[in-house]
Amino acid sequence: MVDSQYYLPNDIGISALDCGEAFRLLSPKEQLYAHYLSRAAWYGGLVVLLQTSPESPTIYVLLQKIFRKQPPAQLEAVATAAGLSSEEYQFKALVWESQAYKENPGEIETLWNSCSHFLYSLEDKQKQLGLGNKGITTYFSGNCCLEDAELAQKFLDSKNLSAYNTRLFKKESDGKRCYEVRLAAAAETPCSMFEFEDASFSVQRGDYAFLMEKVSQNLEKAKAYAANENQAKMLEEYIRSFTYGSVDAHKEGSRFWIKDKGPIVESYIGFIESYRDPFGSRGEFEGKSCCLNCPVASQQESTFQTVSTAIRSYDDIRQTEGFKNVSLGNVLAVAYATQKEKLTFLDEKDKDLYIKWKGPSFEVQVGLHELLGHGSGKLFVQDDKGKFNFDQAEVRNPETGELISSWYKGSETWDSKFSTIASSYEECRAECVGLYLCLNKQVLSIFGHEGEEAEEVIYVNWLNMVRAGLLGLEFYTPESKSWRQAHMQARFVILRVLLEAGEGLVTLSEITGADGRPDALITLDRSKIHTVGKSAIQKFLCKLQVHKSTADVEGGRALYEGYSAVTSDGSHNFLQFRETVLLRKEARKMFVQANTQIKGEAVELEEYESSAAGLVQSFIQRFPEDAEEVEAQLLELASRDATCWC
């Protein structure tokens, strides 16, 4: 392979997320509210290091200690003096020449020795996230396999416990399986012991306790500057959730979040998306603190033009009470900027059109994806009391014409039932909704597109989707036959569906590029989008929805995994196309984010340049009061479980 998914180039794009004007438009009270929400998000964000891989916390601490002593410019001078080139100065020799090493060689050497092997390892198990022998994950101890994850999910369902804020650790005792379920919480509690299906389960609160306490403390401070009762009650419930490990409290906080319509400062925080859990049930910690980028807040309940991204809400709340979407305009502005010379796999005649209309078409797609994709689709449920949320004698399966024969029972959820495919399947369903509804003239007019302009938006939206399906192959791992990114898998599935539709709607060809290396070309016949394309997406979307609504895991899994298969058979050699995609991939941009600090009674925004130095500096200044304590706690949390990942 000429290029590999396991190597990153040194010239990755780095862009600053501009929020200066929006932040300065906030009142002093709003700035303080945003500041403490941001602090809570950044402390909680460190949990992701502990959720990703065993070496991640140590790598973070090592880099913090090195760069705190010397900024990148000084280190580059040290590297030059040591005879290293501008590219080489990132490696071990520089660590040994750094001021941090000279001042405390034992500490730095210990950090290096505990992470360097894993940092560079290309052993199969350590190359990607996965469960058991398919990869590495710190959501589960290394001896857990899919069977263990399934048993744990059954146990959690039986106790009405959500998996979102948990990790699972397995031990053997006298030939008996013993599982430890850890709930993220600031308050550490004694274990509760249970017997379940010939196995023992202990449930204990207190995972990530130090960080959860920091999150709760900052949310408590933010509460003093809440704009209204809904915000205050939302934060109260979040604090209760992070203090005691209660997902129910987080759900209650989400209810108040939904009621807080059109706030000047928007936020969401917690164990949210389950994309990186190999089993698909455990949430990665994330936090957002966003400020409106115009002088007057809109109080409309839904404004399509401002929707760019969404924050997940729980299915039961979404179905009965609602949900919200949040626009991250500064993220989109830099993440989706496209240079023509780097635009791969499109015909020359499509490139200018693609660049001109990608922004507007993406806005339409994401708005429909979030509002009417994730925001629609009923789940048929029988609750703990036996009550159904649908009429068993009337509701029929549109695929078979027969009465509904399966549904969700009790505490079962979409994630717990569909587990490993749930996230990607749902993203695929939402993407299909966007593709299908963007063909509606009335929908496009809501977004401000009419006539010929509307047709250009449709074409580029569909073209972007089929190209994204091809690009998604970068995130497929042939060795384990697994996908590493939910959205990319979803888009590849849609590409497969549209190729299967035939009649020349989509063509995918292997070609030789101008540089003499393998290349690919993907084309879309715009005259067939409203006919062949619309019909194909409508039929596929119906199948996806029926399986989801009726909790038909077997049927849904067979459908989705069939289209997700990446093989060299059939009309397209997708494994070969994957090699081409890797050969010509462009590294994903990195974002430089601002910091806020309280000076006297005011909040100051500290912004940084769009460079590696700016990125490093932003992290060095992220925890000005307690950086060393935070790092010590991270190392303690990482070392405590170090033997669990082997």
Side-chain angles (χ1 to χ4, degrees):
M1 185 183 296
V2 178
D3 196 4
S4 168
Q5 61 184 309
Y6 305 112
Y7 293 88
L8 290 175
N10 290 323
D11 59 348
I12 292 176
I14 298 175
S15 300
L17 294 184
D18 180 20
C19 62
E21 181 182 358
F23 187 80
R24 285 185 281 273
L25 288 170
L26 300 178
S27 70
K29 180 181 177 181
E30 290 162 349
Q31 288 183 347
L32 284 162
Y33 183 65
H35 166 75
Y36 286 116
L37 288 173
S38 176
R39 301 312 303 145
W42 280 112
Y43 278 112
L46 294 173
V47 168
V48 178
L49 296 169
L50 296 157
Q51 290 181 302
T52 303
S53 68
E55 67 273 16
S56 293
T58 312
I59 295 171
Y60 170 83
V61 174
L62 176 64
L63 292 174
Q64 287 288 96
K65 288 184 178 295
I66 290 174
F67 285 118
R68 195 156 53 237
K69 292 293 183 182
Q70 293 169 290
Q74 287 185 20
L75 279 169
E76 188 169 8
V78 171
T80 301
L84 301 174
S85 71
S86 59
E87 292 185 353
E88 289 173 331
Y89 91 85
Q90 299 158 62
F91 300 106
K92 178 182 176 180
L94 181 63
V95 176
W96 257 241
E97 292 292 330
S98 69
Q99 190 64 31
Y101 180 83
K102 291 177 180 178
E103 290 186 13
N104 199 334
E107 179 184 47
I108 299 300
E109 186 169 356
T110 298
L111 290 170
W112 175 262
N113 289 340
S114 67
C115 71
S116 57
H117 169 72
F118 301 103
L119 179 62
Y120 297 110
S121 172
L122 287 177
E123 295 176 23
D124 286 345
K125 182 176 171 64
Q126 293 162 354
K127 285 194 297 189
Q128 64 269 324
L129 299 176
L131 190 58
N133 60 8
K134 290 190 174 182
I136 192 74
T137 177
T138 48
Y139 286 110
F140 299 87
S141 58
N143 57 350
C144 285
C145 62
L146 182 60
E147 180 185 18
D148 298 304
E150 290 171 342
L151 179 62
Q153 188 64 60
K154 289 180 184 178
F155 165 74
L156 292 170
D157 288 344
S158 75
K159 299 299 179 185
N160 287 321
L161 285 172
S162 170
Y164 278 127
N165 64 345
T166 70
R167 292 196 291 172
L168 183 71
F169 295 79
K170 176 186 175 183
K171 293 180 181 179
E172 296 279 344
S173 179
D174 297 327
K176 185 175 184 178
R177 293 172 298 172
C178 301
Y179 297 96
E180 178 186 349
V181 177
R182 296 187 195 169
L183 279 68
E188 300 184 56
T189 61
C191 292
S192 299
M193 303 299 299
F194 304 91
E195 295 296 315
F196 184 80
E197 292 193 10
D198 299 323
S200 294
F201 280 85
S202 67
V203 178
Q204 184 174 21
R205 288 166 172 79
D207 209 7
Y208 321 121
F210 172 80
L211 296 175
M212 292 296 96
E213 178 65 23
K214 289 288 187 180
V215 172
S216 298
Q217 288 171 353
N218 281 280
L219 292 180
E220 187 67 47
K221 292 176 182 178
K223 194 173 69 169
Y225 303 101
N228 53 56
E229 187 178 9
N230 281 325
Q231 286 184 359
K233 288 183 175 179
M234 171 189 75
L235 294 179
E236 283 178 12
E237 294 298 333
Y238 289 166
I239 293 166
R240 186 162 68 91
S241 174
F242 301 136
T243 301
Y244 300 109
S246 170
V247 172
D248 285 341
H250 195 268
K251 291 174 75 170
E252 192 63 26
S254 296
R255 290 187 170 95
F256 290 112
W257 170 67
I258 291 166
K259 294 175 184 176
D260 184 30
K261 297 181 172 68
I264 303 295
V265 178
E266 182 61 277
S267 68
Y268 202 54
I269 189 168
F271 295 88
I272 313 298
E273 303 290 2
S274 56
Y275 300 132
R276 295 218 281 188
D277 170 15
F279 189 66
S281 295
R282 287 151 189 81
E284 185 172 64
F285 195 96
E286 65 179 74
K288 294 181 176 70
S289 177
C290 322
C291 41
L292 201 69
N293 61 346
C294 58
V296 180
S298 167
Q299 297 300 318
Q300 293 178 302
E301 292 191 19
S302 75
T303 306
F304 281 84
Q305 289 86 345
T306 65
V307 175
S308 308
T309 189
I311 298 171
R312 181 186 60 78
S313 187
Y314 299 93
D315 281 329
D316 52 344
I317 296 177
R318 176 184 60 78
Q319 288 198 151
T320 59
E321 300 175 51
F323 64 102
K324 288 204 303 188
N325 291 272
V326 178
S327 169
L328 303 181
N330 56 349
V331 176
L332 292 180
V334 297
Y336 296 102
T338 305
Q339 295 177 300
K340 186 175 180 180
E341 60 271 19
K342 293 186 177 181
L343 192 53
T344 54
F345 310 133
L346 293 182
D347 193 287
E348 284 299 318
K349 65 181 177 60
D350 282 329
K351 289 184 177 181
D352 288 330
L353 203 63
Y354 182 92
I355 291 171
K356 179 178 180 180
W357 293 105
K358 183 182 179 183
S361 69
F362 189 77
E363 185 178 74
V364 170
Q365 176 67 15
V366 175
L368 295 174
H369 171 117
E370 304 295 359
L371 285 171
L372 302 175
H374 293 316
S376 66
K378 182 172 181 174
L379 303 185
F380 297 137
V381 178
Q382 181 184 18
D383 65 23
D384 290 328
K385 297 178 181 178
K387 183 180 179 182
F388 291 87
N389 70 343
F390 66 100
D391 189 338
Q392 287 179 281
E394 293 293 332
V395 180
R396 293 183 178 273
N397 182 325
E399 293 286 300
T400 65
E402 299 174 355
L403 292 172
I404 301 300
S405 58
S406 60
W407 48 82
Y408 298 85
K409 299 178 178 66
S411 60
E412 291 178 343
T413 66
W414 161 248
D415 282 331
S416 71
K417 288 288 286 184
F418 281 73
S419 63
T420 54
I421 66 166
S423 292
S424 183
Y425 188 113
E426 172 60 11
E427 294 304 332
C428 186
R429 191 184 68 86
E431 292 282 47
C432 287
V433 169
L435 286 180
Y436 186 80
L437 290 181
C438 83
L439 302 178
N440 185 297
K441 290 183 179 180
Q442 184 178 359
V443 167
L444 284 171
S445 69
I446 293 173
F447 286 89
H449 304 299
E450 308 274 359
E452 184 178 343
E453 178 181 302
E455 289 302 315
E456 301 286 45
V457 167
I458 291 171
Y459 177 63
V460 172
N461 189 31
W462 279 61
L463 182 64
N464 185 43
M465 185 62 69
V466 295
R467 177 175 181 263
L470 177 60
L471 293 176
L473 285 167
E474 175 189 342
F475 297 87
Y476 176 77
T477 303
E479 294 86 352
S480 60
K481 296 184 178 180
S482 61
W483 285 88
R484 309 187 311 279
Q485 216 285 342
H487 297 81
M488 297 304 184
Q489 180 181 358
R491 291 158 187 162
F492 176 75
V493 166
I494 291 172
L495 171 61
R496 289 282 308 276
V497 169
L498 296 178
L499 284 168
E500 185 183 86
E503 299 186 45
L505 173 68
V506 175
T507 59
L508 175 59
S509 308
E510 296 180 49
I511 62 173
T512 300
D515 57 3
R517 299 189 298 173
D519 207 339
L521 178 66
I522 194 161
T523 60
L524 171 70
D525 186 340
R526 69 160 67 206
S527 70
K528 295 176 180 174
I529 293 175
H530 288 273
T531 54
V532 180
K534 180 179 181 180
S535 176
I537 289 296
Q538 183 271 327
K539 290 175 182 176
F540 185 63
L541 178 56
C542 186
K543 288 184 173 72
L544 290 174
Q545 187 60 58
V546 167
H547 293 309
K548 180 180 180 182
S549 293
T550 61
D552 179 10
V553 178
E554 184 178 351
R557 189 174 287 278
L559 174 73
Y560 199 68
E561 290 181 346
Y563 279 103
S564 298
V566 179
T567 69
S568 57
D569 304 328
S571 56
H572 297 90
N573 185 342
F574 289 113
L575 287 173
Q576 183 59 50
F577 277 117
R578 176 181 174 277
E579 298 287 330
T580 302
V581 168
L582 288 173
L583 177 69
R584 298 188 176 276
K585 73 174 183 179
E586 181 181 3
R588 190 173 182 177
K589 292 184 178 70
M590 299 176 72
F591 298 149
V592 182
Q593 299 188 57
N595 281 314
T596 53
Q597 296 184 30
I598 295 179
K599 299 286 182 70
E601 297 182 357
V603 180
E604 291 186 1
L605 186 74
E606 182 74 29
E607 297 180 281
Y608 306 91
E609 63 181 35
S610 300
S611 67
L615 181 64
V616 168
Q617 191 66 15
S618 72
F619 271 93
I620 295 304
Q621 296 182 352
R622 194 129 282 157
F623 304 101
E625 304 92 0
D626 55 4
E628 293 190 1
E629 181 189 12
V630 167
E631 290 160 19
Q633 288 289 335
L634 274 175
L635 292 177
E636 168 62 24
L637 290 170
S639 63
R640 188 182 303 170
D641 299 318
T643 60
C644 295
W645 319 119
C646 301

